[in-house]
Structures are given as C-alpha cells and as structure tokens.
Amino acid sequence: MKKPVLYLTVAVLALAAGAGAAWWRYSQMVEPLPPVQAQAPQPALWQASFNDLQGKPQALAQWRGKPLVLNFWATWCAPCREEMPEFMATQQALGEQVRFVGLAIDNPADVQKYVQELGIAYPILVGEQSAMELMRAEGNRVGALPFTLVYDAKGNKVAAHAGRLDQARLDALLKPLL
C-alpha cells in the first residue's frame, strides 16, 4: 500500500473511532436522572444572578413563590430545541400558575437570534461558566444538555432531568405543584 493511501486510511479510522467514542459518551450523558425528593431550598440557586438578553442582571430568586421550571439549554443542542416549543405551549396553557425560565449556556447573539425566531415568551437568561457550575451543583455532574430543574412554590427542588423532557413527563412533574 502506498503511503498516502495508508495515511488516509489511518486518518479515516481515527475519525471514525473518535466519532464513535463521542456518540457513546453523549448517549451515556442523556439518560434521565432519577427524580429527587423535595428538599430544602438551595441557597446557591436562589442567590444566583444571570444577565437577560438586554444584558441586565436578573436574580433567580425573583421567580420564587410559584412553581418554577428552570431549563439549561443551548442553541446548538438539538434536544433543547425540540423541547422548547412544548415548554412555550405549557407556559401559555398554565399562565401565571407556573414560571418557566431558560438559562442558555451559549453566545448571547446566537441566543437572541434563536429566541426571536421561535418567539419565546418566557424569560431567557445567558450564562457561561457560572451557569455550568450552578448546573453541576444542582445535580448535573456530567454537564448534559438540556437539563431541567423543577421547584415548588416554596423553592424546594422536586425534580431534576437530564436530556429532553417530553410533554407527558413535564405534565406529570407539574400537576402536583399546581
């Protein structure tokens, strides 16, 4: 075999192995986390603040008092993009009974563009490393996206879910809180 063909073959095999390893790691990350039992409010969460799309800091504590769905997401995350229309529909259907907040781990310009395209009406915040740290502190040790947390009106975490949260599961999580 000639050297260029050998080099090309080795490169293709290395690329395939890398893609396979990445797929395997991703498939391991998106398994749903088991629901957590209600627990005392998490001070780190309720003390955290992130910028909104206008660059103004918004404290998460302002959304206490009603059930809260806090969704960590990114524009480049396909499962994130799939679940957001369902979140929007649920927010619209439930109105003021529950609050949805999206925390994007992404570039603010990309987030702004996507929010406008989709017409997201619930608050969207943008975080970087501090959002990743908060996500890990709240139970997402592997950093999988999307990651959704559900809190009751008292600020107790009642569920944590890694991966796409389907409508049936979301409804089941919210029903006891309404």
Side-chain angles (χ1 to χ4, degrees), residues 19-42:
W23 173 84
W24 179 83
R25 184 160 192 264
Y26 178 76
S27 70
Q28 299 303 307
M29 292 189 316
V30 296
E31 289 298 315
L33 295 175
V36 248
Q37 299 299 318
Q39 52 189 260
Q42 302 294 313

Tab-separated table of all heavy atoms in Angstrom, residues 19-42:
chain	number	residue	atom	x	y	z
A	19	ALA	N	-15.518	9.646	16.458
A	19	ALA	CA	-16.955	9.885	16.353
A	19	ALA	C	-17.721	8.843	17.158
A	19	ALA	O	-18.699	9.160	17.844
A	19	ALA	CB	-17.392	9.864	14.893
A	20	GLY	N	-17.284	7.600	17.100
A	20	GLY	CA	-17.940	6.546	17.874
A	20	GLY	C	-17.812	6.781	19.367
A	20	GLY	O	-18.773	6.619	20.120
A	21	ALA	N	-16.638	7.197	19.808
A	21	ALA	CA	-16.428	7.487	21.225
A	21	ALA	C	-17.278	8.669	21.665
A	21	ALA	O	-17.878	8.655	22.748
A	21	ALA	CB	-14.950	7.765	21.500
A	22	ALA	N	-17.370	9.699	20.838
A	22	ALA	CA	-18.197	10.871	21.172
A	22	ALA	C	-19.667	10.473	21.257
A	22	ALA	O	-20.381	10.892	22.176
A	22	ALA	CB	-17.996	11.982	20.143
A	23	TRP	N	-20.137	9.668	20.302
A	23	TRP	CA	-21.528	9.217	20.331
A	23	TRP	C	-21.793	8.415	21.594
A	23	TRP	O	-22.801	8.603	22.259
A	23	TRP	CB	-21.844	8.382	19.098
A	23	TRP	CG	-23.209	7.772	19.186
A	23	TRP	CD1	-24.382	8.340	18.851
A	23	TRP	CD2	-23.535	6.477	19.710
A	23	TRP	NE1	-25.430	7.491	19.127
A	23	TRP	CE2	-24.931	6.329	19.652
A	23	TRP	CE3	-22.782	5.431	20.220
A	23	TRP	CZ2	-25.573	5.192	20.090
A	23	TRP	CZ3	-23.438	4.291	20.648
A	23	TRP	CH2	-24.817	4.178	20.574
A	24	TRP	N	-20.883	7.504	21.946
A	24	TRP	CA	-21.078	6.674	23.139
A	24	TRP	C	-21.141	7.551	24.382
A	24	TRP	O	-22.015	7.387	25.223
A	24	TRP	CB	-19.947	5.659	23.273
A	24	TRP	CG	-20.113	4.817	24.503
A	24	TRP	CD1	-20.876	3.712	24.646
A	24	TRP	CD2	-19.527	5.060	25.787
A	24	TRP	NE1	-20.804	3.246	25.924
A	24	TRP	CE2	-19.977	4.053	26.653
A	24	TRP	CE3	-18.664	6.024	26.280
A	24	TRP	CZ2	-19.596	3.988	27.978
A	24	TRP	CZ3	-18.287	5.961	27.616
A	24	TRP	CH2	-18.748	4.945	28.451
A	25	ARG	N	-20.236	8.527	24.491
A	25	ARG	CA	-20.223	9.402	25.668
A	25	ARG	C	-21.521	10.204	25.745
A	25	ARG	O	-22.124	10.347	26.798
A	25	ARG	CB	-19.035	10.349	25.630
A	25	ARG	CG	-18.957	11.198	26.882
A	25	ARG	CD	-17.575	11.764	27.092
A	25	ARG	NE	-17.480	12.308	28.419
A	25	ARG	CZ	-17.669	13.592	28.714
A	25	ARG	NH1	-17.957	14.447	27.781
A	25	ARG	NH2	-17.562	14.013	29.952
A	26	TYR	N	-21.968	10.733	24.602
A	26	TYR	CA	-23.214	11.501	24.595
A	26	TYR	C	-24.391	10.619	25.002
A	26	TYR	O	-25.226	11.014	25.790
A	26	TYR	CB	-23.471	12.121	23.225
A	26	TYR	CG	-24.785	12.871	23.183
A	26	TYR	CD1	-24.902	14.114	23.779
A	26	TYR	CD2	-25.902	12.318	22.586
A	26	TYR	CE1	-26.105	14.795	23.779
A	26	TYR	CE2	-27.106	12.991	22.578
A	26	TYR	CZ	-27.202	14.223	23.168
A	26	TYR	OH	-28.389	14.888	23.171
A	27	SER	N	-24.455	9.401	24.471
A	27	SER	CA	-25.570	8.514	24.797
A	27	SER	C	-25.581	8.169	26.282
A	27	SER	O	-26.632	7.926	26.852
A	27	SER	CB	-25.520	7.237	23.951
A	27	SER	OG	-24.435	6.416	24.346
A	28	GLN	N	-24.429	8.196	26.929
A	28	GLN	CA	-24.360	7.927	28.355
A	28	GLN	C	-24.815	9.133	29.173
A	28	GLN	O	-25.295	8.989	30.280
A	28	GLN	CB	-22.928	7.556	28.769
A	28	GLN	CG	-22.396	6.309	28.082
A	28	GLN	CD	-23.269	5.098	28.299
A	28	GLN	OE1	-23.584	4.759	29.424
A	28	GLN	NE2	-23.701	4.466	27.221
A	29	MET	N	-24.673	10.332	28.621
A	29	MET	CA	-24.980	11.554	29.359
A	29	MET	C	-26.462	11.884	29.371
A	29	MET	O	-26.927	12.532	30.287
A	29	MET	CB	-24.242	12.756	28.765
A	29	MET	CG	-22.750	12.698	28.959
A	29	MET	SD	-21.902	14.213	28.511
A	29	MET	CE	-22.636	14.692	26.999
A	30	VAL	N	-27.204	11.496	28.370
A	30	VAL	CA	-28.575	11.968	28.266
A	30	VAL	C	-29.596	11.059	28.944
A	30	VAL	O	-30.780	11.287	28.821
A	30	VAL	CB	-28.981	12.227	26.795
A	30	VAL	CG1	-28.158	13.325	26.209
A	30	VAL	CG2	-28.895	10.968	25.974
A	31	GLU	N	-29.149	10.082	29.686
A	31	GLU	CA	-30.082	9.267	30.444
A	31	GLU	C	-30.727	10.149	31.504
A	31	GLU	O	-30.048	10.905	32.178
A	31	GLU	CB	-29.356	8.096	31.112
A	31	GLU	CG	-28.889	7.040	30.131
A	31	GLU	CD	-30.028	6.396	29.381
A	31	GLU	OE1	-31.050	6.049	29.999
A	31	GLU	OE2	-29.908	6.245	28.162
A	32	PRO	N	-32.037	10.067	31.662
A	32	PRO	CA	-32.696	10.897	32.672
A	32	PRO	C	-32.161	10.610	34.072
A	32	PRO	O	-31.894	9.464	34.413
A	32	PRO	CB	-34.165	10.502	32.570
A	32	PRO	CG	-34.297	9.855	31.235
A	32	PRO	CD	-32.958	9.253	30.911
A	33	LEU	N	-31.976	11.661	34.834
A	33	LEU	CA	-31.613	11.492	36.230
A	33	LEU	C	-32.861	11.078	36.985
A	33	LEU	O	-33.969	11.483	36.634
A	33	LEU	CB	-31.091	12.813	36.804
A	33	LEU	CG	-29.801	13.351	36.209
A	33	LEU	CD1	-29.505	14.719	36.804
A	33	LEU	CD2	-28.659	12.410	36.449
A	34	PRO	N	-32.709	10.280	38.034
A	34	PRO	CA	-33.896	9.923	38.799
A	34	PRO	C	-34.467	11.174	39.461
A	34	PRO	O	-33.720	12.057	39.859
A	34	PRO	CB	-33.360	8.935	39.850
A	34	PRO	CG	-31.898	9.155	39.896
A	34	PRO	CD	-31.495	9.707	38.569
A	35	PRO	N	-35.795	11.256	39.576
A	35	PRO	CA	-36.381	12.410	40.254
A	35	PRO	C	-35.866	12.485	41.687
A	35	PRO	O	-35.621	11.470	42.316
A	35	PRO	CB	-37.883	12.137	40.238
A	35	PRO	CG	-38.080	11.098	39.196
A	35	PRO	CD	-36.797	10.322	39.097
A	36	VAL	N	-35.682	13.697	42.163
A	36	VAL	CA	-35.208	13.881	43.524
A	36	VAL	C	-36.395	14.197	44.426
A	36	VAL	O	-37.350	14.814	43.993
A	36	VAL	CB	-34.201	15.042	43.636
A	36	VAL	CG1	-32.842	14.554	43.962
A	36	VAL	CG2	-34.182	15.924	42.455
A	37	GLN	N	-36.300	13.769	45.651
A	37	GLN	CA	-37.338	14.091	46.615
A	37	GLN	C	-37.228	15.566	46.981
A	37	GLN	O	-36.157	16.158	46.894
A	37	GLN	CB	-37.162	13.219	47.869
A	37	GLN	CG	-37.285	11.730	47.583
A	37	GLN	CD	-38.649	11.372	47.037
A	37	GLN	OE1	-39.660	11.870	47.502
A	37	GLN	NE2	-38.691	10.514	46.035
A	38	ALA	N	-38.329	16.143	47.408
A	38	ALA	CA	-38.325	17.543	47.822
A	38	ALA	C	-37.273	17.735	48.911
A	38	ALA	O	-37.088	16.883	49.770
A	38	ALA	CB	-39.703	17.938	48.330
A	39	GLN	N	-36.564	18.839	48.830
A	39	GLN	CA	-35.518	19.125	49.799
A	39	GLN	C	-35.501	20.614	50.088
A	39	GLN	O	-36.177	21.391	49.429
A	39	GLN	CB	-34.164	18.658	49.271
A	39	GLN	CG	-33.848	19.181	47.875
A	39	GLN	CD	-32.628	18.553	47.281
A	39	GLN	OE1	-31.583	19.149	47.310
A	39	GLN	NE2	-32.760	17.369	46.742
A	40	ALA	N	-34.715	20.988	51.060
A	40	ALA	CA	-34.627	22.394	51.454
A	40	ALA	C	-34.137	23.237	50.281
A	40	ALA	O	-33.417	22.748	49.414
A	40	ALA	CB	-33.669	22.531	52.626
A	41	PRO	N	-34.551	24.504	50.238
A	41	PRO	CA	-34.095	25.382	49.153
A	41	PRO	C	-32.571	25.411	49.059
A	41	PRO	O	-31.881	25.336	50.062
A	41	PRO	CB	-34.638	26.758	49.561
A	41	PRO	CG	-35.783	26.462	50.463
A	41	PRO	CD	-35.449	25.182	51.161
A	42	GLN	N	-32.105	25.504	47.843
A	42	GLN	CA	-30.674	25.531	47.586
A	42	GLN	C	-30.191	26.977	47.571
A	42	GLN	O	-30.515	27.715	46.656
A	42	GLN	CB	-30.384	24.856	46.239
A	42	GLN	CG	-30.874	23.428	46.149
A	42	GLN	CD	-30.153	22.520	47.093
A	42	GLN	OE1	-28.935	22.552	47.183
A	42	GLN	NE2	-30.883	21.715	47.829
